[in-house]
Amino acid sequence: MNSREIMNAAIHLKPVDRVPNAPFYEAPICRYFGTDFRSALLEDRAMADAHLRALEEFRFDWVMIGMGLIGGIIPEALGCKVSYPEDVFPVIDETPVKSMQDVDRIAAADVQTNRMERFLEGLAILKNELKGEVPIACEYISPFTIATRLRGTNEIMTDMYENPELVHALQNVLVALDIEIGKTLIESGVDYIFYGADMECPLLISPAHYREFVHEPTSKVVKALTGLGARVLPHMCGDIVKTGIVDMLLDMDIHGIMPGNLTQDSVLDLRVLKERVGDRICIFDNINPNGPLLIGKPDKVGRETLLHLEGAGGMPGYIFSTSGTTSPATPRENFEAMNRVVLNFKWS
């Protein structure tokens, strides 16, 4: 099976001939293979070249891009002042939404900026070079998470109590923009939309606030993107099972769940999640990117990876991954150790 076939089989809970290998690898490979971090994250040919070299080296089963898109390109297109350091992720220096009067201006924003065009050109290069054998995944964000970029995290959290009308109004205009961006990505070659629910996870907001503010606008976007042919894969940290948020995720037209961290040191038990979702959707594994992978030694990384693979026990719809964004500071020897175990693993 080639990478497209094995990922498609796993997404549909069909048998596979090896473990699908799909970590959140973008940040490390921009350091390992990029001419510089910023270019590999954002700029057409440099971005494509870094990912093609990573595929050759690590034999991933997907191309995974988008940190520069959600961290800089989208916020800047919608009015944030963003700086782009050479060696780290984009930085939002100033947010544009100060009051309800700013919402209409956001609605009129043109998202097809020069930076967006360069990013899309990188996508087109990858699509052409991969010749359909490896699927492309792009990180994405919900209307609520975009709203936090535009308003500020502390401000939006306060608004849920003191100015809920602004939270609703801002998301209402962002739904159409979010769908427009997603449509452009899909037309450029993206197969999987995996949205990092970083601002709406139960580590930050309650299930009640999730249902009140997040679920409806996000569901509209997910439904639209699925209708356009993408497979949508939410990633969320926190105890999504205990809080019941997983059930709200399952209400949406998603194709898999990527569980994240419970704390910096611990991750959600994959078996607990599997018991809740059953055979309805696929499940991505969640090696902690802040643990041995980042701060340990290769032998410990290898042992942890093996424990995760053995713990999955050949469950239908299992895809190996990390529990979120892998740090650009991840030592290459550690990443290689994790990858080597995945490539050599055989379920009994």
Side-chain angles (χ1 to χ4, degrees):
M1 303 176 80
N2 66 23
S3 292
R4 179 172 294 277
E5 292 166 341
I6 198 169
M7 288 293 289
N8 187 60
I11 290 287
H12 289 95
L13 283 76
K14 302 297 184 184
V16 294
D17 58 5
R18 56 182 171 80
V19 176
N21 185 20
F24 284 65
Y25 71 77
E26 183 179 24
I29 70 98
C30 287
R31 282 274 172 83
Y32 304 158
F33 304 116
T35 51
D36 62 76
F37 185 80
R38 178 178 58 204
S39 298
L41 199 67
L42 297 162
E43 298 176 3
D44 45 78
R45 187 75 245 182
M47 181 178 81
D49 285 345
H51 284 277
L52 292 169
R53 288 188 61 194
L55 281 179
E56 183 178 359
E57 178 78 16
F58 293 112
R59 292 156 55 194
F60 300 129
D61 287 312
W62 68 0
V63 166
M64 192 280 293
I65 60 175
M67 290 301 296
L69 176 72
I70 66 171
I73 295 172
I74 292 176
E76 184 178 56
L78 298 178
C80 290
K81 291 185 178 178
V82 180
S83 57
Y84 295 87
E86 185 174 300
D87 58 350
V88 295
F89 292 118
V91 177
I92 296 176
D93 298 313
E94 186 177 334
T95 57
V97 177
K98 310 301 181 186
S99 69
M100 189 71 80
Q101 284 67 43
D102 297 313
V103 173
D104 288 343
R105 182 166 46 81
I106 298 300
D110 181 4
V111 296
Q112 301 303 326
T113 63
N114 289 335
R115 289 192 194 277
M116 180 70 81
E117 289 301 322
R118 294 201 70 179
F119 182 82
L120 294 174
E121 178 59 28
L123 260 176
I125 294 170
L126 284 166
K127 181 181 179 181
N128 182 63
E129 295 283 341
L130 296 172
K131 303 185 186 308
E133 295 185 357
V134 181
I136 299 174
C138 188
E139 185 148 8
Y140 205 62
I141 43 180
S142 68
F144 183 82
T145 296
I146 299 176
T148 66
R149 304 282 204 267
L150 304 181
R151 174 76 172 132
T153 302
N154 291 336
E155 290 78 7
I156 209 84
M157 297 299 168
T158 302
D159 289 337
M160 287 193 291
Y161 294 92
E162 298 181 358
N163 194 4
E165 295 83 4
L166 176 59
V167 183
H168 288 298
L170 185 53
Q171 288 190 89
N172 285 341
V173 303
L174 288 171
V175 166
L177 290 167
D178 215 10
I179 294 170
E180 179 186 347
I181 295 168
K183 183 175 186 290
T184 302
L185 293 171
I186 294 163
E187 290 172 347
S188 298
V190 168
D191 301 283
Y192 301 135
I193 296 286
F194 66 98
Y195 81 82
D198 51 354
M199 293 293 107
E200 60 254 38
C201 75
L203 296 176
L204 286 178
I205 68 173
S206 70
H209 274 152
Y210 183 92
R211 184 172 292 281
E212 179 180 356
F213 292 103
V214 179
H215 187 60
E216 183 178 350
T218 299
S219 295
K220 290 178 180 177
V221 174
V222 169
K223 182 179 180 180
L225 299 184
T226 299
L228 290 168
R231 296 182 175 96
V232 181
L233 310 165
H235 159 72
M236 186 178 286
C237 288
D239 197 333
I240 59 176
V241 176
K242 185 176 180 180
T243 59
I245 286 181
V246 67
D247 299 312
M248 286 184 266
L249 294 176
L250 289 169
D251 283 343
M252 298 189 294
D253 197 1
I254 62 172
H255 298 77
I257 290 181
M258 305 170 165
N261 282 54
L262 299 176
T263 68
Q264 182 169 322
D265 300 320
S266 63
V267 297
L268 183 67
D269 187 326
L270 207 65
R271 286 286 175 181
V272 171
L273 179 60
K274 178 63 176 176
E275 184 177 348
R276 177 65 69 89
V277 306
D279 290 336
R280 285 176 284 180
I281 57 173
C282 75
I283 294 180
F284 285 66
D285 210 333
N286 57 347
I287 288 281
N288 186 1
N290 306 308
L293 184 61
L294 179 62
I295 59 175
K297 299 295 184 183
D299 59 340
K300 190 170 184 180
V301 174
R303 289 195 298 272
E304 182 184 38
T305 304
L306 186 59
L307 284 173
H308 272 253
L309 293 167
E310 290 175 341
M315 67 172 63
Y318 169 82
I319 297 173
F320 177 80
S321 192
T322 55
S323 73
T325 301
T326 311
S327 169
T330 303
R332 182 165 174 173
E333 60 270 22
N334 287 0
F335 204 97
E336 289 171 342
M338 176 184 73
N339 196 68
R340 187 163 52 248
V341 171
V342 177
L343 293 180
N344 292 330
F345 184 76
K346 301 291 183 185
W347 276 310
S348 57

